Amino acid sequence: MSLRLFCGVLCGALLTGGPAQAAEPAKSAILFENVRIFDGKGSSLSAPSSVLVEGNLISRISQGPIQVEGEVQRIDGQGKTLMPGLIDAHTHLMFATLPQIALLTNDITFATVAATRAANDMLMRGFTSARDLGGPVFGLKKGIDMGLTQGPRIWPAGAMISQSGGHGDFRLPNELPALAGQYSFGERTNAAMIADSPDAVRQRTREQLALGATQIKLMAGGGVASSYDPIDVTQYTVPEIRAAVEAADNWGTYVTVHAYTPKAVRQAIEAGVKCIDHGQMLDEATARLMAEKGVWWSLQPFTDDRKSPFPEGSANRLKQLEMYKGTDQAFALARQYGIKTAFGTDALFSAEAAASQGTMLARMGTWYTPAEVLKMATHDNAELLALSGPRNPYPGRLGVVEAGALADLLLVRGDPLQDLALVADPANNFQLIMKDGKIYKNSL
């Protein structure tokens, strides 16, 4: 099959699901009655309660009736579970559903069309917020915020910043050595920026902040999806990483890094980063250091029980299998040292992987209780999002069902604190999805 035909077939397969489901027109107030609440923090559901949403905020919660004057939409919860919208702390919406070859060989608008569909699908899986850690997602975020399309709230990092030959270097071998002033396709589309000195890293960081980045993403070590770098290599130097940290701190926000190994993580911490994404190959001493420094650990349940986008025996697949071996140990260390841990999926290059977002959340039950899993994917992930400080594009409390919090809510068929598998089938089990006080799904 030719590449053009392949991409056309792929586009059709991804984008023929019909129009996005429209949000219900907002009422002056929406009253949930007879719901049992998981508030994002506890380990049990409340007694049957009422929850009043006015505008985009939860205004009142009561175990008795709530009297409302004026127009109100009443929703009989039928004793089902009302909980906060889910948060994915590691996404790449622009790269989630298309194969890598399609992303590298097509106009960026093709990826944008696929990402628009992917954002709507993510919202329909109950994920009302996402920290996007690499890709030209600013326009998609703006379109969602303006109501032109539907999707989660997005905290964008913008372009991934990488050294030459690093995890964010997707240039072809025949594009190296790079000519002075010549930018690759990934750089021209603001997908990934190459920077090879403290001054260059500082400039690229400032550019992403100017474009609207809520946090900065640096590639500090080898990765699976990239072609040049073995997974064990350390990328960047402390002065280079520190340049990004200082630039981000001047804007009131922070740097997170892609890193797997102790050496890569240790130098990132020395440079002042506040979050490590991945880290599946860490040792106990480095985990202890993370705990001592209060560094966040954004972990993903990477296990070898799902289809890989990489061919068996390929260099990428071998790196992936090596990384998978450390997942159990990583979660054990995070628990042992009480490290602030976030849940993310990091779905890349596969529509099937992106659709398994809820399944990956349910898989977290391998290492945590259902209450711990749901707290991580709501309250805890919301705390990580808040590290963006004044760069937070959605001021207000997320991840909780409390008076005064933003009204991102799910109504779940059953009790996910008893049966975490419910989150793996959102189409059937999430009967109502609300974001910012608007109902985007209601199958009651």
Side-chain angles (χ1 to χ4, degrees):
M1 180 184 292
S2 70
L3 182 60
R4 179 178 295 177
L5 178 59
F6 164 75
C7 291
V9 172
L10 179 67
C11 185
L14 284 171
L15 305 176
T16 54
Q21 184 173 347
E24 293 185 6
K27 303 289 186 181
S28 58
I30 298 174
L31 179 61
F32 293 91
E33 298 175 302
N34 189 22
V35 294
R36 301 187 67 197
I37 300 168
F38 168 66
D39 65 2
K41 298 182 291 186
S43 58
S44 61
L45 301 183
S46 72
S49 302
S50 298
V51 176
L52 179 63
V53 173
E54 295 182 289
N56 70 337
L57 298 177
I58 299 169
S59 62
R60 293 173 61 188
I61 299 174
S62 173
Q63 291 187 8
I66 295 178
Q67 302 300 320
V68 184
E69 295 182 0
E71 184 181 10
V72 60
Q73 179 180 357
R74 295 179 182 272
I75 295 174
D76 180 4
Q78 304 167 10
K80 297 178 173 64
T81 301
L82 189 72
M83 63 173 285
L86 298 169
I87 301 170
D88 191 328
H90 192 131
T91 65
H92 299 276
L93 274 162
M94 291 294 291
F95 308 142
T97 58
L98 291 174
Q100 193 171 7
I101 184 63
L103 290 165
L104 290 173
T105 56
N106 279 274
D107 188 274
I108 191 62
T109 57
F110 177 70
T112 304
V113 171
T116 301
R117 171 67 183 273
N120 177 74
D121 290 349
M122 185 178 291
L123 181 62
M124 290 300 102
R125 291 191 291 270
F127 285 85
T128 54
S129 293
R131 191 176 65 136
D132 193 281
L133 292 185
V137 77
F138 295 120
L140 177 60
K141 175 190 180 300
K142 185 174 183 178
I144 292 171
D145 291 346
M146 291 178 63
L148 301 178
T149 189
Q150 298 178 175
R153 304 174 188 267
I154 297 175
W155 277 253
M160 303 169 279
I161 301 174
S162 170
Q163 69 175 45
S164 291
H167 184 51
D169 189 346
F170 289 94
R171 294 175 292 186
L172 297 175
N174 59 14
E175 294 180 277
L176 300 176
L179 299 177
Q182 184 179 65
Y183 293 97
S184 65
F185 176 71
E187 291 172 295
R188 295 196 308 272
T189 58
N190 205 49
M193 302 302 296
I194 307 299
D196 285 311
S197 69
D199 285 345
V201 170
R202 185 179 294 109
Q203 177 183 351
R204 297 309 179 206
T205 297
R206 288 171 174 170
E207 288 170 349
Q208 298 312 308
L209 292 167
L211 290 171
T214 54
Q215 66 284 321
I216 295 297
K217 168 77 171 297
L218 258 62
M219 302 307 199
V224 171
S226 43
S227 298
Y228 299 122
D229 51 336
I231 200 167
D232 62 286
V233 303
T234 302
Q235 297 172 18
Y236 278 132
T237 62
V238 171
E240 287 172 319
I241 299 172
R242 186 175 289 132
V245 169
E246 291 171 349
D249 183 68
N250 285 342
W251 280 59
T253 187
Y254 69 100
V255 172
T256 189
V257 297
H258 162 104
Y260 287 112
T261 66
K263 183 179 179 182
V265 169
R266 283 178 170 273
Q267 78 163 14
I269 293 174
E270 181 181 349
V273 305
K274 293 186 178 180
C275 182
I276 304 297
D277 272 82
H278 307 316
Q280 273 80 356
M281 300 166 70
L282 293 190
D283 57 17
E284 187 169 349
T286 307
R288 187 185 307 115
L289 177 65
M290 290 179 66
E292 292 170 356
K293 297 293 186 180
V295 174
W296 276 86
W297 195 348
S298 174
L299 263 171
Q300 303 76 37
F302 289 150
T303 53
D304 194 29
D305 56 358
R306 60 176 181 163
K307 184 179 179 181
S308 173
F310 308 111
E312 291 300 326
S314 66
N316 299 98
R317 177 61 170 156
L318 294 175
K319 290 193 291 183
Q320 185 180 57
L321 291 171
E322 183 178 358
M323 178 267 291
Y324 282 165
K325 293 176 184 177
T327 297
D328 282 331
Q329 174 73 358
F331 280 113
L333 290 172
R335 288 191 65 102
Q336 179 181 348
Y337 288 100
I339 297 171
K340 294 181 289 188
T341 306
F343 161 78
T345 56
D346 192 24
L348 279 170
F349 312 141
S350 167
E352 182 180 349
S356 70
Q357 200 172 19
T359 301
M360 291 187 72
L361 181 58
R363 189 177 298 137
M364 293 289 289
T366 304
W367 305 282
Y368 297 90
T369 68
E372 290 171 331
V373 172
L374 294 178
K375 177 176 178 288
M376 189 183 298
T378 55
H379 170 273
D380 295 356
N381 275 4
E383 286 196 339
L384 175 57
L385 296 179
L387 282 186
S388 293
R391 304 286 76 78
N392 180 358
Y394 311 102
R397 280 185 290 148
L398 284 170
V400 291
V401 182
E402 294 178 352
L406 292 168
D408 289 10
L409 299 168
L410 308 178
L411 192 62
V412 184
R413 185 204 308 267
D415 180 358
L417 295 178
Q418 298 298 319
D419 183 8
L420 187 59
L422 291 171
V423 303
D425 187 7
N428 289 312
N429 296 323
F430 293 172
Q431 295 190 279
L432 184 142
I433 297 171
M434 171 182 282
K435 188 194 83 171
D436 207 39
K438 299 181 178 65
I439 297 174
Y440 288 86
K441 174 184 176 180
N442 186 356
S443 62
L444 289 171

